[in-house]
Amino acid sequence: AWRKYSPSGFTTKDQFETEIVRHIETTLARSLFNCDELAAYSGTALAFRDRLIMDWNKTQQRQTFADQKRIYYLSLEFLMGRALDNAMLNVGLKNVAKEGLADLGFRIEDVINQEHDAALGNGGLGRLAACFLDSMASLNYPAWGYGLRYRYGIFKQEIENGYQVEIPDYWLDFNPWEFARHDVTVDVQFYGWVNKYTDDEGKQIVSWQDGEIVTAVAYDVPVPGYGTPTVNNLRLWSSKASSGEFDFSKFNSGEYESAVADQQRAETISAVLYPNDNLERGKELRLKQQYFWCAASLFDIVRRFKKTNRKWSEFPDQVAIQLNDTHPTLAVVELQRILVDKEGLEWQTAWDIVTKTFSYTNHTVLPEALEKWSVPLIQNLLPRHLQIIYEINLSFLQTVERRFPKDRELLGRVSLIEESQPKTVRMAYLAIVGSHKVNGVAELHSDLIKTTIFKDFVRIYGPDKFINVTNGITPRRWLHQANPRLSELIASKLGSYEFLKDLTLLNKLEPFVDDKEFKKEWAEIKYANKVRLAQHILKTTGVSVNPKALFDVQVKRIHEYKRQQLNVFGVIHRYLAIKSLSSEERKKLAPRVTIFGGKAAPGYWMAKTIIHLINKVGEVINNDPDVGDLLKVIFLEDYNVSKAEIIIPASDISEHISTAGTEASGTSNMKFVLNGGLIIGTLDGANIEITREIGEQNVFLFGNLSEDVEDLRHNHFYGDYQVDPELQKVFDLIKSGKFGDEGSFGALIGAITEHGDYYLVSDDFNSYTKTQDLIDETFKNQDEWVTKCITSVARMGFFTSDRCINEYADTIWNIEPLDVAEEK
Ligand code: DL6
């Protein structure tokens, strides 16, 4: 009924126009006569936001009344991208907005492009969290996300003379998608000391005293589900000084700088996202961020639970908390502290509640990414938490000792404290001990964690605690939004858009693989997407590429384990091959555009060198008239979610070529295949399951297997190691100075020729280039190529994040969706 009275419950074009005009003229105080695209975006966003707010309030009320168990997803990263397009599609009113905006003289695409990406994440881990929010809302789960409201998200990347330059990303100048909740605040304590004493009644009291207080202020972001009234909440915390103001007495006595210093120090906590992907640096500010966010979120969750007046023993029946990687592990310790120190529960009673509440997802086996915090650092910042960690460790090790009395070494290996200099807390171990389930993110990865980094824990807890939930992606953003024409074509064949809610319905596409008209339309859509990308490339790099060429894409964070260096060495190899061919032979070649995109962590020098090499190689090849359209090399600046939405639908082949056993899952592999692109990949992460689902004949696999990696590495040092001769020719060309100052690339080559080739670039080079040749041959037969693409899309149903969230809900969280039937 509220829709009848609410001006924002618009459903028609005219109502939408009334809303947008109202917002432009009143909320934004702009005249319609000088309304530019930014004002049109702002008005549209506000109109849609109003719609979401009503459903959001209803959802929160519904969840409170239903009083069911909720899932709280704790993630230090949420890589949301843009919100407007997503909101329009999820509420099913994009066409209404399109027509309304056209009446006002705007193209909807231009309006959408005004929005700044919400880039509060580094890569796969943060984007996975965003896909999960979309699925949890679309499936009507009572779910909350908790994160940090960074003032600066991941940096903006510019390329200058081939080098990456980082520019701060201030994204909050106009953000209609958040609501400051100045009434929802939590005081978070740091530093200080612990006072233990016995009170008059003989009770042991532990009190964490003094120190510094920083206030967390809640900012709420609505998360709309697709085709449902559910709008869930993402709560992001912002830090400010506890008084909220600077010290006037200091100011008056002339101490201007120190008067504002406290305020600035407090605000620094949520100022900036750490830009490292798969790498931990152990900085105090990062630890402060983690605790600040965990403490505020836990306080909020406990406050909500306490309103229900239930017994503490029922906490795990009402609350599930998922730790997205180890970043939120302090939440385990914080809940134990609240229950024991504040609520007066017995240690073991509290610990049972804690372990039933938490579960932990591991996202990497790379040793450099596994968090370890220095004991002295924790001691100083969180003295009470360190005591609790030691107590948890003591009781855990006692249990282990009882079960494995003769195995002294085991105790040292699994201790939460590493006896290093200084001592460190092994956060992954703490997360395991504090959780009832631990999951990896693809089958191979989940097997690997059980047999390598967490092997001892499988012995201790038994295998049932360790499970696999293969990652997924939301088809709403990654098909319907990014590739609307393909989505429409699929819907026309399947009879509805139901596949966006049940992706397995895609399998009904398979019979159309012989339908000539359908294949033609399919190919036309891919071509149109490539034309769009070619325009973007021309506009941003000045290089003109032929949309008929094979578009070969590798977009992801730049990392040695992801092996962009293998790709660029392959490009040089191709260049050498082209140069050696006669003009007749060249006519038989399939022209290719190799496209790279991705950010390097600012302190990761080797990754920056790879970016530099790609750009230098591009400069030479793109300007070599002898090569012409046969090969172009593009580095797209500032890869982010909204660029991914243009790039992914335009790819013919994409590269997922990590050293086997290093990429936990990968999710862009799923996005590319779902958009009708094929992949070249190693038997790593989710590539393996993608291959199983879509068929080996539809994937270009190459390279060594994960079980052989260790022996190969060993052999590099102790065997007869020779660099692949074709790769050596590539190195010779680089060293000749062809791509500029050869000295710049010495370390990149040296890592392979002299320092053990840890990522097996040389071992996999031959197999890689041969597979690239096979791709060229296959692409020449367009009919066969399109058949592979359609068949693959038809078999991608498994990789929706809806399946993934249902698995988490059933096997880990034990939560049910909310019934919204009468609301529809
Ligand atoms: O699970 C999401 C994503 C995987 O798809 C990638 O394979 C994996 O590299 C990434 N892991 C991280 C770990 N970083 N930390 N901490 O980003 O997770």
Side-chain angles (χ1 to χ4, degrees):
W2 62 266
R3 286 195 200 281
K4 268 199 285 190
Y5 307 107
S6 157
S8 50
F10 66 86
T11 48
T12 67
K13 184 187 70 156
D14 291 346
Q15 289 167 340
F16 167 67
E17 285 176 22
T18 310
E19 284 302 287
I20 183 173
V21 170
R22 179 172 72 81
H23 275 299
I24 290 170
E25 291 191 333
T26 59
T27 321
L28 302 168
R30 297 277 298 254
S31 146
L32 270 189
F33 296 104
N34 69 7
C35 172
D36 54 14
E37 280 164 357
L38 182 60
Y41 159 70
S42 310
T44 309
L46 290 165
F48 273 90
R49 183 183 79 168
D50 284 355
R51 269 198 68 102
L52 296 190
I53 291 171
M54 306 305 290
D55 282 342
W56 185 30
N57 286 334
K58 298 275 281 184
T59 303
Q60 298 316 315
Q61 266 176 33
R62 199 161 45 239
Q63 291 184 3
T64 307
F65 289 141
D67 201 21
Q68 283 176 206
K69 185 172 184 179
R70 291 188 173 102
I71 167 67
Y72 296 100
Y73 196 81
L74 266 58
S75 179
L76 208 39
E77 303 189 9
F78 287 96
L79 194 44
M80 303 294 279
R82 289 176 174 155
L84 175 60
D85 201 1
N86 186 249
M88 293 191 296
L89 288 167
N90 279 14
V91 300
L93 288 172
K94 186 167 179 183
N95 277 335
V96 166
K98 185 176 175 177
E99 289 169 17
L101 283 165
D103 278 356
L104 299 172
F106 296 99
R107 270 170 24 106
I108 195 166
E109 296 78 15
D110 300 332
V111 170
I112 288 170
N113 281 336
Q114 295 299 312
E115 185 172 348
H116 207 118
D117 271 36
L120 307 185
N122 276 286
L125 176 143
R127 183 54 232 178
L128 185 77
C131 284
F132 280 6
L133 290 182
D134 181 85
S135 283
M136 290 189 281
S138 299
L139 295 166
N140 303 311
Y141 282 110
W144 284 57
Y146 275 107
L148 273 187
R149 178 183 178 267
Y150 304 107
R151 270 202 310 286
Y152 295 91
I154 185 73
F155 62 86
K156 190 168 151 27
Q157 177 195 53
E158 288 184 4
I159 301 296
E160 279 178 23
N161 298 323
Y163 291 101
Q164 167 175 298
V165 177
E166 299 95 24
I167 315 285
D169 165 58
Y170 183 72
W171 67 292
L172 289 170
D173 40 1
F174 174 70
N175 179 16
W177 305 106
E178 65 173 14
F179 292 88
R181 303 286 196 199
H182 293 294
D183 55 329
V184 182
T185 59
V186 181
D187 280 350
V188 179
Q189 186 177 357
F190 294 102
Y191 307 107
W193 59 286
V194 181
N195 187 8
K196 281 191 186 178
Y197 59 94
T198 312
D199 71 5
D200 298 344
E201 287 150 30
K203 221 172 143 209
Q204 259 266 306
I205 305 290
V206 182
S207 150
W208 178 16
Q209 297 183 341
D210 301 333
E212 195 176 297
I213 303 289
V214 178
T215 299
V217 183
Y219 283 73
D220 286 346
V221 181
V223 181
Y226 174 78
T228 164
T230 298
V231 176
N232 278 341
N233 198 25
L234 167 61
R235 178 157 285 179
L236 302 177
W237 299 104
S238 180
S239 58
K240 66 168 199 177
S242 65
S243 66
E245 276 150 29
F246 60 86
D247 185 337
F248 236 110
S249 58
K250 280 189 186 168
F251 188 80
N252 281 340
S253 60
E255 295 174 58
Y256 305 120
E257 282 174 17
S258 80
V260 291
D262 288 351
Q263 188 193 13
Q264 281 169 351
R265 206 173 45 248
E267 287 177 7
T268 304
I269 293 178
S270 62
V272 57
L273 164 81
Y274 274 88
N276 300 324
D277 182 84
N278 272 294
L279 181 75
E280 282 303 329
R281 289 255 187 232
K283 297 272 188 254
E284 178 172 353
L285 180 59
R286 167 84 164 181
L287 186 61
K288 266 188 150 175
Q289 289 188 332
Q290 294 187 351
Y291 179 64
F292 171 78
W293 151 63
C294 289
S297 308
L298 250 293
F299 185 91
D300 211 36
I301 294 167
V302 167
R303 170 166 60 191
R304 199 167 298 121
F305 173 77
K306 282 172 95 169
K307 278 197 200 150
T308 67
N309 292 320
R310 285 189 158 82
K311 294 190 297 237
W312 280 111
S313 58
E314 291 173 40
F315 190 80
D317 304 329
Q318 291 299 107
V319 174
I321 304 179
Q322 187 67 32
L323 306 173
N324 194 27
D325 215 282
T326 52
H327 316 145
T329 305
L330 283 171
V332 168
V333 189
E334 177 68 0
L335 182 58
Q336 181 71 2
R337 185 182 78 86
I338 293 172
L339 296 179
V340 173
D341 294 0
K342 302 265 168 211
E343 303 295 337
L345 269 65
E346 291 296 324
W347 177 272
Q348 195 52 47
T349 313
W351 188 242
D352 285 346
I353 294 172
V354 168
T355 51
K356 282 184 191 152
T357 301
F358 285 97
S359 44
Y360 153 57
T361 306
N362 172 279
H363 292 271
T364 186
V365 292
L366 299 188
E368 64 270 32
L370 295 178
E371 280 189 299
K372 287 176 188 171
W373 285 108
S374 133
V375 165
L377 195 65
I378 303 182
Q379 164 76 61
N380 184 39
L381 191 69
L382 304 166
R384 176 60 184 143
H385 293 76
L386 187 67
Q387 291 176 347
I388 294 175
I389 292 170
Y390 270 105
E391 222 159 310
I392 295 171
N393 195 34
L394 179 67
S395 112
F396 167 63
L397 291 181
Q398 281 170 346
T399 319
V400 176
E401 200 175 22
R402 275 196 296 275
R403 289 229 8 238
F404 305 94
K406 300 211 172 70
D407 199 342
R408 301 292 311 167
E409 279 175 11
L410 177 66
L411 294 183
R413 285 204 306 273
V414 298
S415 171
L416 306 187
I417 308 296
E418 184 168 274
E419 297 297 322
S420 45
Q421 202 43 265
K423 288 183 182 163
T424 54
V425 178
R426 296 156 160 164
M427 301 307 273
Y429 292 4
L430 178 55
I432 296 173
V433 173
S435 297
H436 62 284
K437 283 275 191 257
V438 176
N439 76 287
V441 288
E443 276 178 20
L444 174 69
H445 170 67
S446 299
D447 287 345
L448 281 176
I449 60 177
K450 283 200 274 185
T451 50
T452 60
I453 52 175
F454 301 152
K455 191 170 150 202
D456 289 322
F457 290 87
V458 176
R459 236 179 108 204
I460 293 166
Y461 288 110
D464 294 351
K465 179 160 175 169
F466 297 84
I467 64 170
N468 173 57
V469 184
T470 299
N471 282 344
I473 55 168
T474 165
R476 273 77 63 177
R477 183 174 291 259
W478 296 113
L479 177 56
H480 193 46
Q481 181 179 325
N483 205 342
R485 278 188 66 191
L486 191 65
S487 182
E488 193 183 339
L489 176 65
I490 294 171
S492 75
K493 290 293 165 201
L494 302 189
S496 79
Y497 281 102
E498 204 43 39
F499 66 95
L500 294 173
K501 293 218 96 172
D502 175 4
L503 204 64
T504 59
L505 292 173
L506 284 179
N507 63 15
K508 298 210 159 52
L509 272 186
E510 223 167 310
F512 294 100
V513 78
D514 297 319
D515 177 336
K516 283 212 162 53
E517 191 50 36
F518 176 64
K519 283 176 105 170
K520 193 165 148 260
E521 280 181 62
W522 186 281
E524 275 168 14
I525 291 169
K526 178 61 78 179
Y527 184 71
N529 290 335
K530 289 170 73 178
V531 169
R532 183 168 74 140
L533 178 58
Q535 285 162 352
H536 176 80
I537 291 174
L538 182 62
K539 201 167 102 196
T540 54
T541 67
V543 180
S544 165
V545 300
N546 177 4
K548 294 214 171 85
L550 188 158
F551 278 20
D552 169 351
V553 183
Q554 189 177 16
V555 282
K556 46 185 89 225
R557 288 297 290 248
I558 311 292
H559 212 296
E560 284 161 285
Y561 87 82
K562 295 180 189 277
R563 297 202 297 190
Q564 284 90 353
Q565 71 276 39
L566 173 61
N567 187 346
V568 70
F569 295 151
V571 168
I572 299 172
H573 171 79
R574 177 177 289 267
Y575 178 62
L576 284 171
I578 293 171
K579 297 293 271 184
S580 71
L581 293 178
S582 69
S583 57
E584 272 316 297
E585 288 168 318
R586 288 181 190 193
K587 280 188 194 141
K588 293 188 212 137
L589 291 181
R592 196 182 270 242
V593 181
T594 301
I595 299 161
F596 293 88
K599 294 174 187 179
Y604 189 176
W605 181 74
M606 198 67 111
K608 289 179 137 178
T609 305
I610 295 173
I611 294 180
H612 186 209
L613 179 62
I614 294 168
N615 281 296
K616 289 292 161 189
V617 168
E619 260 172 50
V620 171
I621 296 180
N622 299 342
N623 293 305
D624 186 341
D626 186 36
V627 172
D629 266 1
L630 284 180
L631 183 59
K632 292 277 185 248
V633 184
I634 304 296
F635 189 93
L636 286 174
E637 240 174 29
D638 199 36
Y639 177 62
N640 60 13
V641 173
S642 51
K643 295 208 173 85
E645 289 165 20
I646 301 173
I647 297 167
I648 291 171
S651 106
D652 294 306
I653 197 93
S654 63
E655 310 227 4
H656 309 276
I657 58 176
S658 48
T659 312
T662 61
E663 188 70 276
S665 159
T667 41
S668 75
N669 41 9
M670 303 168 190
K671 295 168 195 164
F672 279 101
V673 180
L674 188 61
N675 278 277
L678 301 182
I679 59 175
I680 173 169
T682 42
L683 280 154
D684 199 16
N687 291 352
I688 297 172
E689 285 146 271
I690 294 177
T691 306
R692 188 161 67 213
E693 290 292 310
I694 71 177
E696 208 163 330
Q697 70 285 7
N698 296 316
V699 182
F700 296 96
L701 293 172
F702 75 97
N704 284 284
L705 304 181
S706 70
E707 56 258 42
D708 299 325
V709 168
E710 211 175 306
D711 284 349
L712 284 163
R713 280 181 182 154
H714 185 266
N715 204 36
H716 291 170
F717 282 104
Y718 303 106
D720 178 24
Y721 176 67
Q722 298 260 300
V723 172
D724 178 280
E726 290 300 308
L727 183 60
Q728 188 57 53
K729 288 184 196 160
V730 169
F731 291 164
D732 292 343
L733 190 66
I734 298 174
K735 285 186 186 164
S736 76
K738 176 83 182 169
F739 307 109
D741 176 17
E742 67 279 19
S744 331
F745 308 119
L748 196 55
I749 296 172
I752 294 160
T753 55
E754 285 156 42
H755 300 293
D757 191 11
Y758 188 75
Y759 297 103
L760 313 189
V761 174
S762 176
D763 300 272
D764 283 348
F765 192 70
N766 183 265
S767 155
Y768 176 66
T769 54
K770 291 282 164 311
T771 308
Q772 289 287 10
D773 294 344
L774 179 64
I775 291 171
D776 288 327
E777 277 316 298
T778 315
F779 192 68
K780 284 183 198 159
N781 183 343
Q782 270 298 296
D783 191 60
E784 189 194 331
W785 187 273
V786 176
T787 300
K788 285 179 184 296
C789 297
I790 296 173
T791 314
S792 302
V793 171
R795 298 176 183 176
M796 281 298 285
F798 180 75
F799 298 99
T800 167
S801 44
D802 295 349
R803 183 266 313 150
C804 205
I805 286 300
N806 281 328
E807 272 183 41
Y808 276 97
D810 290 347
T811 60
I812 303 181
W813 303 333
N814 193 20
I815 58 162
E816 297 288 334
L818 227 88
D819 186 5
V820 292
E822 80 263 33
E823 298 283 341
K824 278 191 187 147

